[in-house]
Amino acid sequence: MSAPTRPIPLIIDTDPGVDDAVAIMLALASPEIELRAVTTVFGNVPQPRTTENAGRLLALCDRSDVPIGRGATRPIVHPQRKRAEAWHGGDGLGGRAEMLPAPAAAPDARGAVGLMAAVLSAASEPVTIAGIGPLTNIALLLAVHPELAPRIGRIIVMGGALGEGNVSGVAEFNIHSDPEAAHRVLTQPAVPVTMVPLDMTLRCPAGPAWIETLASGGRRCGALAEVITHYRAAYLARYGIDAVAVHDAVAVLEAVTPGVLETTPMPIQVACDLGPARGATVAFADDDAPSVLVAVGADVDAVLTEILTRLLRLG
Ligand code: BDR
Ligand code: CA
């Protein structure tokens, strides 16, 4: 008889965010994962909001025991050029934040980088970090605590675009929000990185049947479906399709079930100039550059079914 596998320790670094909410709840619904911390960053909306939203989501799932570390309020070098209220609502949760329970615990006094460092220092197995917002906190962690890099099993990044971007013709939102931080994370050799770009996540649109099944799945799933309502309307208005991309949940599914996404190694650099290409992720074969694993394919229906089936466990 084989020994039971131990859960994978996970830190989610996030800017909730509607699809971040789906991703956090997916992690909480997955026994393969032990969520050790949620760290917050500016992004879709300002950081005080993303922190409050993370607290509300944990309270909704009766998991306020998971510590929250408050992180960066702005990028490392240049100011963030665009936020994403048009997609996520002014409160980051589609105008429904107040419908979720108030946070039941205060944020951890150590802040995002301190909390991540503490989790890594205490871990007896490699910890996965899922970066589903701008990569500021993770870049700072790598810069301040290089000695902890061997304790990170992998960093999974939702971000980047090999084809068309969603902020500009070439740039994806998370990378565009802090290109210097993204460049630091994607080009460092110490920790393996899997990048889940827009090209992958846009192939997994959750349509009406998916959303309706979620809506009737119980109190928590119903609340999540409510949170998705405004995001769904924004997709319809912008793209003319009644379906939403659950970008961050696709990346977290890769953390939960490693290998669910097909990957190919590519060296990726980030355009950090201030011109129109700022934030582009470019596959660039520099001899010294380490490769990241870029998610390029998956059984898309299976990915969406897997995410939904797990969420429904939350009731
Ligand atoms: C990414 O940008 C944010 O708006 C989403 O939460 C996701 O992390 C998609 O480009
Ligand atoms: Ca996000």
mmCIF file of all heavy atoms in Angstrom, residues 185-218:
data_model
loop_
_atom_site.group_PDB
_atom_site.id
_atom_site.type_symbol
_atom_site.label_atom_id
_atom_site.label_comp_id
_atom_site.label_asym_id
_atom_site.label_seq_id
_atom_site.Cartn_x
_atom_site.Cartn_y
_atom_site.Cartn_z
ATOM 1 N N VAL A 185 11.197 38.260 -11.438
ATOM 2 C CA VAL A 185 10.697 36.919 -11.108
ATOM 3 C C VAL A 185 10.902 35.952 -12.283
ATOM 4 O O VAL A 185 11.311 34.802 -12.093
ATOM 5 C CB VAL A 185 9.196 36.992 -10.710
ATOM 6 C CG1 VAL A 185 8.602 35.590 -10.536
ATOM 7 C CG2 VAL A 185 9.029 37.808 -9.418
ATOM 8 N N LEU A 186 10.647 36.432 -13.490
ATOM 9 C CA LEU A 186 10.656 35.529 -14.650
ATOM 10 C C LEU A 186 12.063 35.225 -15.157
ATOM 11 O O LEU A 186 12.253 34.270 -15.907
ATOM 12 C CB LEU A 186 9.819 36.130 -15.796
ATOM 13 C CG LEU A 186 8.315 36.264 -15.498
ATOM 14 C CD1 LEU A 186 7.604 37.011 -16.621
ATOM 15 C CD2 LEU A 186 7.669 34.896 -15.292
ATOM 16 N N THR A 187 13.045 36.037 -14.763
ATOM 17 C CA THR A 187 14.398 35.818 -15.295
ATOM 18 C C THR A 187 15.378 35.321 -14.237
ATOM 19 O O THR A 187 16.573 35.224 -14.514
ATOM 20 C CB THR A 187 14.959 37.118 -15.928
ATOM 21 O OG1 THR A 187 15.007 38.129 -14.922
ATOM 22 C CG2 THR A 187 14.105 37.583 -17.087
ATOM 23 N N GLN A 188 14.899 35.021 -13.040
ATOM 24 C CA GLN A 188 15.827 34.556 -12.001
ATOM 25 C C GLN A 188 16.022 33.032 -12.136
ATOM 26 O O GLN A 188 15.104 32.315 -12.523
ATOM 27 C CB GLN A 188 15.348 34.964 -10.598
ATOM 28 C CG GLN A 188 13.906 34.602 -10.252
ATOM 29 C CD GLN A 188 13.700 33.143 -9.930
ATOM 30 O OE1 GLN A 188 14.563 32.534 -9.299
ATOM 31 N NE2 GLN A 188 12.572 32.576 -10.358
ATOM 32 N N PRO A 189 17.226 32.560 -11.809
ATOM 33 C CA PRO A 189 17.505 31.131 -11.997
ATOM 34 C C PRO A 189 17.242 30.266 -10.760
ATOM 35 O O PRO A 189 17.305 29.048 -10.834
ATOM 36 C CB PRO A 189 19.016 31.129 -12.302
ATOM 37 C CG PRO A 189 19.538 32.318 -11.551
ATOM 38 C CD PRO A 189 18.435 33.330 -11.484
ATOM 39 N N ALA A 190 16.909 30.897 -9.620
ATOM 40 C CA ALA A 190 16.921 30.134 -8.362
ATOM 41 C C ALA A 190 15.670 29.276 -8.150
ATOM 42 O O ALA A 190 15.735 28.235 -7.495
ATOM 43 C CB ALA A 190 17.080 31.103 -7.176
ATOM 44 N N VAL A 191 14.536 29.695 -8.669
ATOM 45 C CA VAL A 191 13.274 28.975 -8.410
ATOM 46 C C VAL A 191 12.587 28.700 -9.748
ATOM 47 O O VAL A 191 12.444 29.613 -10.570
ATOM 48 C CB VAL A 191 12.313 29.825 -7.536
ATOM 49 C CG1 VAL A 191 11.046 29.045 -7.233
ATOM 50 C CG2 VAL A 191 12.986 30.288 -6.259
ATOM 51 N N PRO A 192 12.147 27.446 -9.982
ATOM 52 C CA PRO A 192 11.422 27.172 -11.231
ATOM 53 C C PRO A 192 10.108 27.944 -11.295
ATOM 54 O O PRO A 192 9.390 28.052 -10.292
ATOM 55 C CB PRO A 192 11.141 25.666 -11.173
ATOM 56 C CG PRO A 192 11.847 25.142 -9.983
ATOM 57 C CD PRO A 192 12.309 26.276 -9.129
ATOM 58 N N VAL A 193 9.826 28.484 -12.480
ATOM 59 C CA VAL A 193 8.608 29.284 -12.671
ATOM 60 C C VAL A 193 7.758 28.645 -13.766
ATOM 61 O O VAL A 193 8.279 28.228 -14.804
ATOM 62 C CB VAL A 193 8.955 30.731 -13.087
ATOM 63 C CG1 VAL A 193 7.684 31.519 -13.421
ATOM 64 C CG2 VAL A 193 9.731 31.441 -11.984
ATOM 65 N N THR A 194 6.467 28.575 -13.506
ATOM 66 C CA THR A 194 5.499 28.230 -14.552
ATOM 67 C C THR A 194 4.668 29.469 -14.821
ATOM 68 O O THR A 194 4.103 30.049 -13.889
ATOM 69 C CB THR A 194 4.584 27.066 -14.108
ATOM 70 O OG1 THR A 194 5.389 25.915 -13.857
ATOM 71 C CG2 THR A 194 3.553 26.734 -15.188
ATOM 72 N N MET A 195 4.630 29.889 -16.074
ATOM 73 C CA MET A 195 3.863 31.083 -16.442
ATOM 74 C C MET A 195 2.599 30.640 -17.179
ATOM 75 O O MET A 195 2.673 29.883 -18.143
ATOM 76 C CB MET A 195 4.730 31.989 -17.332
ATOM 77 C CG MET A 195 4.034 33.229 -17.817
ATOM 78 S SD MET A 195 5.148 34.308 -18.783
ATOM 79 C CE MET A 195 4.409 34.207 -20.391
ATOM 80 N N VAL A 196 1.477 31.114 -16.670
ATOM 81 C CA VAL A 196 0.185 30.764 -17.284
ATOM 82 C C VAL A 196 -0.332 32.036 -17.956
ATOM 83 O O VAL A 196 -0.904 32.916 -17.304
ATOM 84 C CB VAL A 196 -0.804 30.247 -16.220
ATOM 85 C CG1 VAL A 196 -2.112 29.818 -16.871
ATOM 86 C CG2 VAL A 196 -0.191 29.096 -15.416
ATOM 87 N N PRO A 197 -0.090 32.167 -19.258
ATOM 88 C CA PRO A 197 -0.392 33.439 -19.920
ATOM 89 C C PRO A 197 -1.847 33.528 -20.364
ATOM 90 O O PRO A 197 -2.585 32.537 -20.345
ATOM 91 C CB PRO A 197 0.537 33.402 -21.138
ATOM 92 C CG PRO A 197 0.643 31.958 -21.492
ATOM 93 C CD PRO A 197 0.518 31.190 -20.177
ATOM 94 N N LEU A 198 -2.199 34.723 -20.796
ATOM 95 C CA LEU A 198 -3.548 34.985 -21.316
ATOM 96 C C LEU A 198 -3.928 34.026 -22.434
ATOM 97 O O LEU A 198 -5.083 33.610 -22.516
ATOM 98 C CB LEU A 198 -3.582 36.379 -21.954
ATOM 99 C CG LEU A 198 -3.964 37.584 -21.155
ATOM 100 C CD1 LEU A 198 -4.139 38.749 -22.133
ATOM 101 C CD2 LEU A 198 -5.244 37.350 -20.382
ATOM 102 N N ASP A 199 -2.938 33.714 -23.290
ATOM 103 C CA ASP A 199 -3.211 32.823 -24.429
ATOM 104 C C ASP A 199 -3.837 31.520 -23.943
ATOM 105 O O ASP A 199 -4.671 30.922 -24.616
ATOM 106 C CB ASP A 199 -1.912 32.491 -25.183
ATOM 107 C CG ASP A 199 -1.010 33.699 -25.318
ATOM 108 O OD1 ASP A 199 -0.556 34.209 -24.268
ATOM 109 O OD2 ASP A 199 -0.771 34.151 -26.431
ATOM 110 N N MET A 200 -3.399 31.077 -22.734
ATOM 111 C CA MET A 200 -3.941 29.839 -22.147
ATOM 112 C C MET A 200 -5.280 30.107 -21.465
ATOM 113 O O MET A 200 -6.265 29.397 -21.691
ATOM 114 C CB MET A 200 -2.908 29.317 -21.131
ATOM 115 C CG MET A 200 -3.329 28.091 -20.364
ATOM 116 S SD MET A 200 -3.276 26.640 -21.401
ATOM 117 C CE MET A 200 -4.993 26.240 -21.484
ATOM 118 N N THR A 201 -5.330 31.157 -20.633
ATOM 119 C CA THR A 201 -6.534 31.336 -19.801
ATOM 120 C C THR A 201 -7.749 31.751 -20.629
ATOM 121 O O THR A 201 -8.884 31.407 -20.279
ATOM 122 C CB THR A 201 -6.287 32.360 -18.677
ATOM 123 O OG1 THR A 201 -5.946 33.627 -19.261
ATOM 124 C CG2 THR A 201 -5.170 31.924 -17.761
ATOM 125 N N LEU A 202 -7.512 32.469 -21.728
ATOM 126 C CA LEU A 202 -8.652 32.885 -22.555
ATOM 127 C C LEU A 202 -9.259 31.711 -23.315
ATOM 128 O O LEU A 202 -10.358 31.818 -23.851
ATOM 129 C CB LEU A 202 -8.224 33.984 -23.547
ATOM 130 C CG LEU A 202 -7.987 35.359 -22.914
ATOM 131 C CD1 LEU A 202 -7.464 36.343 -23.963
ATOM 132 C CD2 LEU A 202 -9.260 35.906 -22.271
ATOM 133 N N ARG A 203 -8.530 30.590 -23.316
ATOM 134 C CA ARG A 203 -9.097 29.394 -23.951
ATOM 135 C C ARG A 203 -10.030 28.641 -23.022
ATOM 136 O O ARG A 203 -10.594 27.624 -23.391
ATOM 137 C CB ARG A 203 -7.963 28.479 -24.424
ATOM 138 C CG ARG A 203 -7.240 29.062 -25.629
ATOM 139 C CD ARG A 203 -6.013 28.253 -25.986
ATOM 140 N NE ARG A 203 -6.336 26.841 -26.156
ATOM 141 C CZ ARG A 203 -5.438 25.871 -26.128
ATOM 142 N NH1 ARG A 203 -4.165 26.156 -25.938
ATOM 143 N NH2 ARG A 203 -5.797 24.619 -26.295
ATOM 144 N N CYS A 204 -10.153 29.124 -21.776
ATOM 145 C CA CYS A 204 -11.007 28.450 -20.785
ATOM 146 C C CYS A 204 -12.131 29.379 -20.334
ATOM 147 O O CYS A 204 -12.192 29.754 -19.155
ATOM 148 C CB CYS A 204 -10.191 28.034 -19.563
ATOM 149 S SG CYS A 204 -8.727 27.067 -19.915
ATOM 150 N N PRO A 205 -13.041 29.775 -21.213
ATOM 151 C CA PRO A 205 -14.123 30.663 -20.774
ATOM 152 C C PRO A 205 -15.243 29.874 -20.096
ATOM 153 O O PRO A 205 -15.719 28.871 -20.616
ATOM 154 C CB PRO A 205 -14.609 31.294 -22.090
ATOM 155 C CG PRO A 205 -14.244 30.313 -23.162
ATOM 156 C CD PRO A 205 -13.122 29.439 -22.649
ATOM 157 N N ALA A 206 -15.649 30.363 -18.933
ATOM 158 C CA ALA A 206 -16.748 29.723 -18.201
ATOM 159 C C ALA A 206 -18.053 30.360 -18.676
ATOM 160 O O ALA A 206 -18.251 31.564 -18.531
ATOM 161 C CB ALA A 206 -16.562 29.925 -16.704
ATOM 162 N N GLY A 207 -18.914 29.554 -19.260
ATOM 163 C CA GLY A 207 -20.137 30.054 -19.875
ATOM 164 C C GLY A 207 -21.346 30.000 -18.951
ATOM 165 O O GLY A 207 -21.224 29.699 -17.751
ATOM 166 N N PRO A 208 -22.531 30.287 -19.496
ATOM 167 C CA PRO A 208 -23.748 30.377 -18.687
ATOM 168 C C PRO A 208 -24.033 29.108 -17.877
ATOM 169 O O PRO A 208 -24.414 29.199 -16.701
ATOM 170 C CB PRO A 208 -24.851 30.616 -19.721
ATOM 171 C CG PRO A 208 -24.161 31.165 -20.908
ATOM 172 C CD PRO A 208 -22.759 30.642 -20.899
ATOM 173 N N ALA A 209 -23.864 27.923 -18.471
ATOM 174 C CA ALA A 209 -24.194 26.681 -17.751
ATOM 175 C C ALA A 209 -23.281 26.537 -16.530
ATOM 176 O O ALA A 209 -23.720 26.165 -15.428
ATOM 177 C CB ALA A 209 -24.058 25.479 -18.678
ATOM 178 N N TRP A 210 -22.005 26.862 -16.713
ATOM 179 C CA TRP A 210 -21.008 26.774 -15.632
ATOM 180 C C TRP A 210 -21.422 27.727 -14.497
ATOM 181 O O TRP A 210 -21.449 27.358 -13.325
ATOM 182 C CB TRP A 210 -19.642 27.150 -16.201
ATOM 183 C CG TRP A 210 -18.425 26.863 -15.372
ATOM 184 C CD1 TRP A 210 -17.603 25.783 -15.482
ATOM 185 C CD2 TRP A 210 -17.868 27.685 -14.326
ATOM 186 N NE1 TRP A 210 -16.572 25.885 -14.579
ATOM 187 C CE2 TRP A 210 -16.704 27.039 -13.856
ATOM 188 C CE3 TRP A 210 -18.233 28.899 -13.750
ATOM 189 C CZ2 TRP A 210 -15.905 27.550 -12.841
ATOM 190 C CZ3 TRP A 210 -17.445 29.413 -12.727
ATOM 191 C CH2 TRP A 210 -16.298 28.744 -12.277
ATOM 192 N N ILE A 211 -21.773 28.957 -14.888
ATOM 193 C CA ILE A 211 -22.105 29.973 -13.871
ATOM 194 C C ILE A 211 -23.425 29.613 -13.166
ATOM 195 O O ILE A 211 -23.539 29.739 -11.943
ATOM 196 C CB ILE A 211 -22.173 31.375 -14.524
ATOM 197 C CG1 ILE A 211 -20.796 31.764 -15.079
ATOM 198 C CG2 ILE A 211 -22.656 32.418 -13.519
ATOM 199 C CD1 ILE A 211 -20.783 33.013 -15.950
ATOM 200 N N GLU A 212 -24.396 29.119 -13.932
ATOM 201 C CA GLU A 212 -25.691 28.759 -13.304
ATOM 202 C C GLU A 212 -25.517 27.580 -12.349
ATOM 203 O O GLU A 212 -26.117 27.542 -11.273
ATOM 204 C CB GLU A 212 -26.764 28.409 -14.357
ATOM 205 C CG GLU A 212 -27.105 29.478 -15.405
ATOM 206 C CD GLU A 212 -27.103 30.924 -14.918
ATOM 207 O OE1 GLU A 212 -27.371 31.158 -13.725
ATOM 208 O OE2 GLU A 212 -26.809 31.821 -15.725
ATOM 209 N N THR A 213 -24.699 26.615 -12.723
ATOM 210 C CA THR A 213 -24.465 25.476 -11.824
ATOM 211 C C THR A 213 -23.801 25.961 -10.538
ATOM 212 O O THR A 213 -24.173 25.552 -9.428
ATOM 213 C CB THR A 213 -23.574 24.412 -12.508
ATOM 214 O OG1 THR A 213 -24.167 24.062 -13.748
ATOM 215 C CG2 THR A 213 -23.432 23.166 -11.644
ATOM 216 N N LEU A 214 -22.852 26.879 -10.687
ATOM 217 C CA LEU A 214 -22.198 27.455 -9.509
ATOM 218 C C LEU A 214 -23.235 28.179 -8.648
ATOM 219 O O LEU A 214 -23.283 27.995 -7.422
ATOM 220 C CB LEU A 214 -21.106 28.426 -9.958
ATOM 221 C CG LEU A 214 -20.291 29.095 -8.850
ATOM 222 C CD1 LEU A 214 -19.371 28.075 -8.173
ATOM 223 C CD2 LEU A 214 -19.446 30.252 -9.400
ATOM 224 N N ALA A 215 -24.088 28.963 -9.300
ATOM 225 C CA ALA A 215 -25.064 29.789 -8.573
ATOM 226 C C ALA A 215 -25.993 28.929 -7.713
ATOM 227 O O ALA A 215 -26.406 29.342 -6.622
ATOM 228 C CB ALA A 215 -25.881 30.620 -9.554
ATOM 229 N N SER A 216 -26.296 27.731 -8.186
ATOM 230 C CA SER A 216 -27.239 26.886 -7.428
ATOM 231 C C SER A 216 -26.504 25.870 -6.549
ATOM 232 O O SER A 216 -27.105 24.919 -6.051
ATOM 233 C CB SER A 216 -28.204 26.186 -8.380
ATOM 234 O OG SER A 216 -27.467 25.477 -9.339
ATOM 235 N N GLY A 217 -25.203 26.095 -6.342
ATOM 236 C CA GLY A 217 -24.394 25.111 -5.626
ATOM 237 C C GLY A 217 -24.370 25.256 -4.119
ATOM 238 O O GLY A 217 -23.666 24.517 -3.441
ATOM 239 N N GLY A 218 -25.104 26.222 -3.570
ATOM 240 C CA GLY A 218 -25.095 26.401 -2.109
ATOM 241 C C GLY A 218 -24.763 27.840 -1.750
ATOM 242 O O GLY A 218 -24.578 28.686 -2.631
#
